[in-house]
Amino acid sequence: MTKYASLLFISGLAFFLMVITGFLPIGNSPMLVGNAILDSAKDQVGAANVVTSVVLAYRGLDTLGELSILFAAASVVGLVLTKSSFNKSPKEIEKPARIESEDSGFVAINAIDLIFPLLLVVGMYIITHGHLTPGGGFQGGVILAIAFSMRNIVRPKQKSVDHGVVTFIEAFAGLSFIVIGLVALFSQGNFLQPMLDQGQFGSLWSAGTIPLLYLAVGLKVGAELAGLILALNTDEVND
Amino acid sequence: MIWIVALVVFIMLAAAIAVLVLENMIAAVVAASVVSLALTVIFALLKAPDVAMTEAAIGAGLSSLILAIGLKRLGYWKTTDKSNVSSGDNHD
């Protein structure tokens, strides 16, 4: 019965969407904001990557919202999955078969050791060139998080990532994002309005505070996801 | 270009079906990340490199890592094929 109900719902939704798309004027976009941003982003923000100037300047508050969503998700995962004194599991819960708490094999360890510095360079490049080339804080931060957590996964016993350091980086990056936004609010009049000299268009030191904001976003995303994967992975090792 | 997209969509569909029918759990995780990788190619062809990078980093990298950790925690991380798969099937 539930299957038929959901089938009915999905077909009704598809019909609804088809009717809506049938009425849309195909070819001439009704999007006016996008064209306005495309015209004025170069002079107002000075970032060569227009997506970045939308994400951090025109819609900076949304980025702060995304960061807080990520923060909430990472905190809930840490709260539920890490072993603390609050959620010590009762003994009768059936333990899953523990496969490997020792180090991985030769190939995995050496491959990760080889890739790790390259991943760091790529991640930092993507973060620091977020206002020039595609990519930015989120993508580079994910790459950094993957690099550190791979190291932790192949060598579970050796604590390669300290949880306190991760928490400190995350808190510092989030705080600096908000502080930059507040400084812009009090000096320029708008929250997260681009400040400082725009510099030469297309060079690394350009677009004012945008690279600083993306650095904060990248460090925060990287630290959060690394902490999340750490929380997912440590439980197996410790008990 | 349309043929490249058709090929990539075919790869995506094949990988998505492989996720369902593969008996080895690790192979299913790898197939799920192949879906994301092929989707990355489509995003790059549609001139959305930012979205393509996000899809490659999160869809192909991070989510398969999290799925792999989940397999390990649940005890499904078995690299040998037949004898262990049957014991793994008893769990679900």
Side-chain angles (χ1 to χ4, degrees):
Chain A
M1 194 59 216
T2 319
K3 283 181 186 173
Y4 293 116
S6 47
L7 186 66
L8 192 68
F9 174 74
I10 288 176
S11 52
L13 187 67
F15 178 73
F16 183 61
L17 288 177
M18 278 168 62
V19 168
I20 287 181
T21 45
F23 281 115
L24 279 183
I26 302 295
N28 48 352
S29 69
M31 193 69 186
L32 299 175
V33 180
N35 294 331
I37 285 178
L38 276 180
D39 286 338
S40 58
K42 180 175 179 295
D43 299 325
Q44 284 181 346
V45 182
N49 185 2
V50 182
V51 177
T52 296
S53 53
V54 172
V55 166
L56 286 180
Y58 294 103
R59 298 285 180 268
L61 196 62
D62 293 5
T63 305
L64 187 60
E66 285 177 35
L67 286 181
S68 47
I69 288 173
L70 203 61
F71 173 70
S75 335
V76 167
V77 168
L79 187 71
V80 172
L81 285 179
T82 48
K83 271 232 180 332
S84 65
S85 55
F86 292 110
N87 51 6
K88 270 276 195 298
S89 64
K91 289 287 183 289
E92 58 264 21
I93 289 179
E94 184 196 350
K95 287 265 175 61
R98 281 211 300 282
I99 306 300
E100 37 194 1
S101 64
E102 67 265 15
D103 292 357
S104 304
F106 175 81
V107 176
I109 287 182
N110 284 286
I112 296 302
D113 281 348
L114 185 67
I115 294 177
F116 178 72
L118 301 177
L119 279 180
L120 281 193
V121 170
V122 170
M124 287 310 290
Y125 179 88
I126 290 177
I127 291 177
T128 50
H129 288 70
H131 56 296
L132 303 177
T133 54
F138 286 100
Q139 294 89 339
V142 171
I143 291 177
L144 287 185
I146 289 174
F148 280 105
S149 50
M150 288 304 276
R151 239 169 105 85
N152 186 263
I153 283 172
V154 295
R155 289 201 193 87
K157 285 174 188 163
Q158 177 188 337
K159 293 281 177 240
S160 54
V161 186
D162 187 27
H163 212 281
V165 176
V166 167
T167 313
F168 175 75
I169 291 175
E170 180 188 335
F172 179 74
L175 190 68
S176 57
F177 189 92
I178 296 176
V179 164
I180 292 174
L182 285 180
V183 168
L185 173 65
F186 286 117
S187 65
Q188 311 276 324
N190 287 314
F191 189 64
L192 283 172
Q193 184 172 353
M195 295 182 297
L196 303 181
D197 189 22
Q198 286 190 1
Q200 191 193 352
F201 180 76
S203 65
L204 182 58
W205 302 103
S206 66
T209 49
I210 298 288
L212 292 177
L213 287 175
Y214 242 167
L215 191 62
V217 170
L219 287 180
K220 186 164 172 57
V221 169
E224 241 154 31
L225 292 178
L228 194 148
I229 294 177
L230 218 64
L232 279 173
N233 202 31
T234 46
D235 207 359
E236 193 74 27
V237 179
N238 282 344
D239 61 3
Chain B
M1 165 143 172
I2 187 74
W3 293 109
I4 302 175
V5 172
L7 179 68
V8 172
V9 167
F10 178 74
I11 292 174
M12 276 177 70
L13 281 176
I17 293 172
V19 172
L20 295 177
V21 299
L22 278 175
E23 291 196 343
N24 193 338
M25 291 281 187
I26 302 173
V29 169
V30 173
S33 83
V34 167
V35 177
S36 286
L37 271 181
L39 189 57
T40 303
V41 176
I42 290 185
F43 280 138
L45 286 176
L46 290 174
K47 296 190 175 67
D50 290 85
V51 191
M53 288 175 81
T54 312
E55 182 67 35
I58 294 177
L62 194 72
S63 65
S64 6
L65 192 62
I66 288 179
L67 282 176
I69 292 175
L71 282 190
K72 198 175 138 193
R73 282 180 72 111
L74 291 172
Y76 285 111
W77 187 265
K78 302 202 175 80
T79 42
T80 51
D81 257 341
K82 280 301 167 190
S83 60
N84 283 332
V85 165
S86 58
S87 70
D89 280 343
N90 292 335
H91 287 287
D92 53 25

